[in-house]
């Protein structure tokens, strides 16, 4: 990389010397990477000159400067590879108007370039320009083979990165209402699943029918499971498996996962045994089963399969990582430390060290855990790794409710990690825990000044204003913007339900809070759901929710107490 930089500098110097010999050279007064403008007689020299400067800026990660140079002389540019690169950069920088200009020029040069169309549609929807998006999309449809699913898949891949998901959904809802296109609908269903819009995905699946198509069957079951309808999902997958002569391992795994999610360990284990009977010596298969059980908190079942691998001296580092995690979750902290120390290689080595610090804090004391992390920090040069270690320290301080230490830690390290949004966010949440709303708000607004569409921050600011102030209208604006960008996010739906409840709009509050609950049965969402149900006069349903969630979380004494208090004054 350094060698390339030196070559670029030499070329630039020679080029500048040749430019300075003519009468039409203008020097820039701007410091940094911005290029002096060359007004030579031949545009090809201008293009070469600008490309050198742009590539030099990109190499130095000066993306804003590179984009500025590119946009300045875009009419002289002809390298479509550079157009692709700059279109991506302008999207990442949220410069959607620039992206639109880049796409227009790109399509002048290459009218049939499919990637230019895909990025152009994406940028138009980010900007909310539906008319432009429709024009580019119609042209895209004229170019592609409409019977080839791969073309739709390419577009969906680009759109999966869109920040404003509501605009994407609205656009395709309108298009598919007017056009009967099954292949596009199937790809849109996949996008809806990615956006966590499972109810809408189910609506489209019902509309076009599954015809026992494997992909649509799996999407239907996964969507049903994700909106708290596991029994219906089980029925869908069981019916599909019965209709097939050969076994389908992926579908079996998805069925096992649903059994585990509802605590039906007997059904899960029976199906696991069926899978292993066919391929009993498959190490990767056994490991995958162990991880699946761990992720569903079926720790005894997970330990059974992972311990078998360990006894055979197979996948030692990976297995020890998960066995350590199981011991940590069970409260066996000293044993978890021993497992994490045996993770000596692989991708999980760093994560094991971070988890080891949590075990040290639980088994010994916080001070020793922090000392361990500080020594770990000295082993890494990468800023990313150092920040991850800092975040691990912050997590330990948060667990100990030592929020002032979080603030001090961030203040001490923020100069070396300037504008690191994760650290600023961590400090903001520490201020929130300290009930210092003013400083919390200041930090969250600082993040939004850098990334105005940061959904986590928008939601955190809105929700914090709801619970700490009576600025409900302002809070709702932040939450609505967050919801516009991530309409399937359960935490944001919960925030929207709660702010509407505080404003006295019970009907709409119940709508949003029920959506949130069906997606995620987090204890706070459960409590909000029950409280709004009670205030809406739906006492029977609230008690059903309470009983169901207590069965699911028998060891969560805090949830039990809070739900009991909520229902103590509610009519039977």
């Amino acid at each position: 990389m350094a060698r390339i930089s030196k070559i670029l500098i030499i070329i630039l110097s020679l080029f500048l010397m040749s430019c300075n010999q003519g009468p039409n050279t203008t020097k820039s007064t701007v410091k940094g990477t911005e290029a002096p403008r060359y007004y030579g007689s031949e545009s090809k020299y201008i293009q070469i000159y600008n490309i050198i400067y742009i590539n030099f800026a990109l190499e130095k990660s000066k993306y804003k400067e590179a984009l500025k140079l590119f946009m300045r002389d875009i009419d002289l540019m002809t390298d479509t590879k550079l157009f692709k690169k700059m279109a991506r950069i302008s999207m990442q920088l949220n410069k959607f108007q620039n992206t639109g200009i880049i796409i227009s020029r790109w399509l002048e040069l290459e009218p049939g370039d499919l990637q230019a169309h895909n990025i152009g549609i994406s940028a138009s929807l980010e900007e909310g320009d539906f008319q432009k998006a429709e024009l580019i999309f119609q042209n895209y449809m004229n170019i592609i083979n409409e019977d080839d699913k791969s073309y739709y898949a390419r577009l969906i891949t680009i759109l999966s990165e869109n920040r404003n998901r509501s605009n994407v959904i609205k656009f395709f809802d309108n298009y598919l209402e007017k056009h009967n296109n099954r292949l596009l609908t199937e790809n849109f269903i996949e996008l809806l699943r990615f956006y966590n819009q499972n109810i809408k995905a189910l609506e489209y699946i019902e509309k076009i029918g599954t015809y026992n198509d494997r992909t649509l069957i799996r999407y239907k079951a996964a969507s049903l499971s994700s909106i708290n309808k596991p029994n219906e999902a089980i029925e869908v997958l069981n019916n599909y498996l019965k209709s097939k002569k050969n076994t389908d391992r992926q579908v079996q795994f998805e069925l096992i996962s649903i059994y585990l999610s509802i605590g039906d360990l007997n059904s899960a284990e029976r199906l696991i045994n069926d899978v292993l009977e066919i391929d009993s010596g498959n190490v990767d298969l056994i490991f995958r089963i162990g991880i699946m059980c761990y992720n569903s908190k079926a720790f005894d079942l997970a330990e059974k399969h992972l311990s078998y691998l360990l006894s055979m001296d197979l996948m030692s580092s990976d297995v020890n990582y998960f066995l350590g995690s199981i011991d940590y979750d069970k409260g066996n902290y000293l044993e978890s430390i021993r497992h994490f120390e045996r993770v000596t290689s692989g991708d999980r080595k760093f994560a094991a060290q971070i988890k080891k610090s949590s075990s040290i804090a639980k088994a010994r004391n916080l001070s020793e855990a922090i000392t361990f992390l500080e020594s770990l920090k000295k082993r890494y040069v990468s800023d990313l790794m150092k920040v991850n270690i800092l975040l691990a320290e912050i997590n330990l301080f948060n667990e100990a409710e030592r929020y002032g230490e979080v603030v001090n830690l961030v203040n001490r390290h923020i100069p070396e990690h300037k504008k690191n949004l994760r650290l600023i966010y961590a400090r903001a949440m520490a201020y929130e825990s300290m009930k210092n709303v003013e400083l919390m708000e200041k930090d969250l607004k600082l993040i939004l000044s850098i990334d105005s569409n940061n959904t986590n921050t928008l939601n955190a600011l809105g929700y914090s204003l709801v619970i700490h102030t009576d600025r409900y209208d302002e809070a709702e604006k932040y939450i609505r913007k967050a919801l516009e960008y991530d309409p399937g996010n359960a935490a944001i739906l919960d925030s929207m339900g709660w702010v509407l409840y505080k404003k006295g709009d019970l009907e709409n509050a119940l709508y949003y809070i029920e959506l949130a609950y069906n997606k995620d049965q987090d204890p706070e969402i459960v409590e909000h759901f029950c409280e709004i149900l009670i205030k809406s006069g739906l006492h029977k349903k609230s008690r059903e929710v309470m009983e169901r969630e207590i069965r699911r979380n028998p060891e969560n004494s805090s949830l039990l107490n809070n739900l009991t208090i909520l229902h103590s004054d509610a009519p039977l």
Side-chain angles (χ1 to χ4, degrees):
M1 190 67 81
R3 186 178 177 186
I4 295 171
S5 298
K6 290 177 182 177
I7 292 170
L8 279 168
I9 291 168
I10 292 168
I11 294 171
L12 285 166
S13 300
L14 291 171
F15 198 85
L16 283 168
M17 287 172 63
S18 67
C19 292
N20 287 337
Q21 292 173 3
N24 295 322
T25 303
T26 303
K27 292 185 179 180
S28 172
T29 58
V30 181
K31 293 181 180 180
T33 57
E34 183 165 1
R37 195 156 194 169
Y38 171 62
Y39 294 100
S41 57
E42 296 190 36
S43 63
K44 67 177 182 179
Y45 294 120
I46 304 174
Q47 184 182 172
I48 294 169
Y49 175 71
N50 286 339
I51 288 174
I52 291 170
Y53 262 104
I54 290 166
N55 282 318
F56 184 68
L58 291 174
E59 186 189 341
K60 295 296 182 182
S61 299
K62 301 288 186 180
Y63 300 119
K64 289 182 180 179
E65 289 85 344
L67 181 61
K68 186 176 180 180
L69 294 175
F70 184 81
M71 296 304 298
R72 190 186 69 183
D73 289 325
I74 190 171
D75 290 339
L76 302 173
M77 300 292 182
T78 57
D79 183 354
T80 53
K81 290 182 180 178
L82 189 58
F83 273 83
K84 176 182 174 181
K85 192 180 295 184
M86 299 313 299
R88 280 290 194 182
I89 287 171
S90 65
M91 287 285 285
Q92 290 167 9
L93 294 173
N94 296 329
K95 303 285 188 182
F96 304 124
Q97 288 186 341
N98 283 348
T99 311
I101 295 168
I102 292 169
I103 295 301
S104 296
R105 173 63 178 153
W106 186 357
L107 290 174
E108 284 179 21
L109 299 168
E110 293 285 348
D113 193 299
L114 297 179
Q115 188 139 30
H117 284 81
N118 289 339
I119 297 174
I121 294 164
S122 174
S124 300
L125 292 177
E126 289 283 27
E127 197 178 358
D129 191 340
F130 289 92
Q131 187 175 7
K132 186 174 183 179
E134 188 170 357
L135 286 172
I136 300 174
F137 182 70
Q138 288 294 352
N139 200 49
Y140 182 73
M141 295 295 288
N142 291 334
I143 295 170
I144 67 170
N145 176 1
E146 290 191 33
D147 296 324
D148 187 339
K149 192 173 182 177
S150 66
Y151 290 109
Y152 304 119
R154 293 177 206 172
L155 175 59
I156 293 304
T157 299
I158 295 288
L159 293 173
S160 68
E161 300 174 10
N162 269 46
R163 301 282 296 277
N164 193 322
R165 296 177 172 184
S166 292
N167 281 352
V168 177
I169 294 168
K170 191 185 301 182
F171 177 81
F172 282 101
D173 275 342
N174 290 335
Y175 182 84
L176 291 171
E177 189 178 345
K178 302 170 187 173
H179 301 84
N180 183 19
N181 187 325
R182 183 178 177 86
L183 290 180
L184 177 59
T185 304
E186 288 176 3
N187 277 272
F188 183 48
I189 290 168
E190 183 178 351
L191 184 65
L192 290 170
R193 289 272 305 128
F194 182 81
Y195 282 177
N196 201 19
Q197 286 283 292
N198 297 293
I199 294 175
K200 187 173 280 289
L202 283 168
E203 290 172 359
Y204 274 101
I205 290 170
E206 291 302 316
K207 183 178 179 180
I208 65 173
T210 63
Y211 296 100
N212 216 31
D213 176 83
R214 181 177 183 270
T215 300
L216 290 175
I217 288 290
R218 291 174 58 218
Y219 285 165
K220 182 175 182 177
S223 296
L224 286 167
S225 179
S226 66
I227 61 169
N228 206 25
K229 294 184 177 181
N231 293 326
E232 292 182 37
I234 289 169
E235 184 180 3
V236 168
L237 292 181
N238 269 324
N239 288 340
Y240 175 78
L241 289 172
K242 289 174 185 175
S243 72
K244 298 297 177 182
K245 292 181 180 179
N246 299 322
T247 57
D248 189 317
R249 182 178 292 168
Q250 181 59 41
V251 174
Q252 286 178 317
F253 269 118
E254 288 166 10
L255 185 53
I256 291 167
S257 181
I258 298 172
Y259 282 136
L260 290 170
S261 72
I262 61 173
D264 187 352
L265 300 186
N266 291 329
S267 296
E269 196 159 15
R270 278 197 300 271
L271 192 48
I272 287 170
N273 291 336
D274 289 344
V275 171
L276 290 177
E277 188 177 344
I278 297 171
D279 199 358
S280 58
N282 190 319
V283 173
D284 292 331
L285 186 64
I286 297 169
F287 181 65
R288 184 178 174 187
I289 288 169
I291 294 175
M292 187 187 305
C293 294
Y294 168 74
N295 289 335
S296 298
K297 300 188 184 304
F299 296 136
D300 291 341
L301 201 52
E303 202 166 13
K304 170 186 171 181
H305 294 287
L306 293 171
S307 295
Y308 167 78
L309 293 176
L310 197 64
S311 69
M312 302 294 289
D313 198 25
L314 298 168
M315 304 179 73
S316 177
S317 283
D318 288 332
V319 169
N320 270 299
Y321 174 82
F322 283 102
L323 286 174
S325 299
I326 290 169
D327 276 320
Y328 179 85
D329 288 331
K330 284 185 168 184
N332 304 326
Y333 303 118
L334 289 174
E335 186 62 30
S336 72
I337 291 172
R338 285 190 279 272
H339 279 299
F340 291 136
E341 286 175 344
R342 294 176 190 138
V343 183
T344 56
S345 61
D347 295 337
R348 294 188 173 91
K349 181 179 177 181
F350 179 77
Q353 296 298 301
I354 297 298
K355 284 207 165 187
K356 179 184 170 182
S357 70
S358 295
S359 297
I360 292 171
K362 295 286 188 182
R364 297 168 188 157
N365 56 69
L366 176 60
S367 177
E368 187 176 337
I370 296 298
T371 300
F372 170 76
L373 287 172
E374 285 295 325
S375 66
L376 184 65
K377 201 185 301 176
K378 294 174 184 176
R379 301 182 207 171
Y380 293 95
V381 177
S382 161
D383 275 354
L384 176 62
M385 303 301 268
K386 287 180 181 293
V387 168
N388 285 335
I389 294 169
L390 282 172
L391 291 170
E393 291 184 50
I394 287 167
N395 184 58
L396 292 179
F397 283 129
N398 279 330
E399 286 184 354
E401 298 183 359
R402 290 170 59 172
Y403 306 116
E405 295 283 2
V406 173
V407 173
N408 292 337
L409 186 66
V410 174
N411 288 343
R412 196 160 65 246
H413 289 280
I414 204 70
E416 62 194 274
H417 303 290
K418 291 180 179 176
K419 292 187 177 179
N420 187 290
L421 301 189
R422 292 191 295 168
L423 292 178
I424 298 170
Y425 185 86
R427 184 174 63 189
M429 292 299 96
Y431 283 136
E432 191 270 342
S433 297
M434 296 164 69
K435 305 292 190 291
N436 192 330
V437 178
E438 184 179 351
L439 289 179
M440 174 212 71
E441 188 174 350
K442 181 180 177 182
D443 266 348
L444 292 180
K445 285 185 175 178
L446 173 59
I447 295 173
L448 293 175
S449 71
I450 299 168
D451 180 6
S452 62
N453 302 326
N454 189 306
T455 52
N456 285 337
T457 303
L458 287 165
N459 184 51
L461 180 53
Y463 184 68
S464 297
L465 291 177
V466 174
I467 61 177
H468 292 297
T469 75
D470 58 0
R471 294 155 57 190
Y472 299 142
D473 289 341
E474 187 179 350
E476 185 181 346
K477 288 178 183 177
Y478 287 117
I479 296 168
R480 282 198 182 277
K481 187 173 181 183
L483 198 60
E484 180 182 340
Y485 281 85
D486 194 359
N489 187 303
I492 303 173
L493 288 165
D494 173 62
S495 297
M496 179 57 74
W498 200 240
V499 71
L500 292 174
Y501 169 63
K502 289 294 186 179
K503 293 179 71 172
D505 186 354
L506 286 178
E507 183 179 351
N508 284 311
L510 184 57
Y511 168 77
Y512 283 106
I513 203 70
E514 188 160 16
L515 284 176
Y517 171 76
N518 285 335
K519 289 172 178 289
D520 185 355
Q521 293 76 52
D522 174 83
E524 187 171 14
I525 294 176
V526 172
E527 290 174 26
H528 286 170
F529 188 32
C530 285
E531 183 166 343
I532 294 173
L533 283 171
I534 290 169
K535 291 296 182 182
S536 301
L538 301 171
H539 307 294
K540 182 181 177 182
K541 185 171 183 178
S542 180
R543 287 189 178 276
E544 289 171 356
V545 172
M546 177 180 73
E547 291 166 4
R548 180 165 60 244
E549 294 309 321
I550 289 174
R551 285 196 301 271
R552 281 180 177 172
N553 305 278
E555 297 177 1
N556 192 330
S557 57
S558 174
L559 177 64
L560 173 61
N561 291 336
N562 291 340
L563 291 180
T564 302
I565 292 169
L566 272 176
H567 289 85
S568 60
D569 295 327
L572 294 174

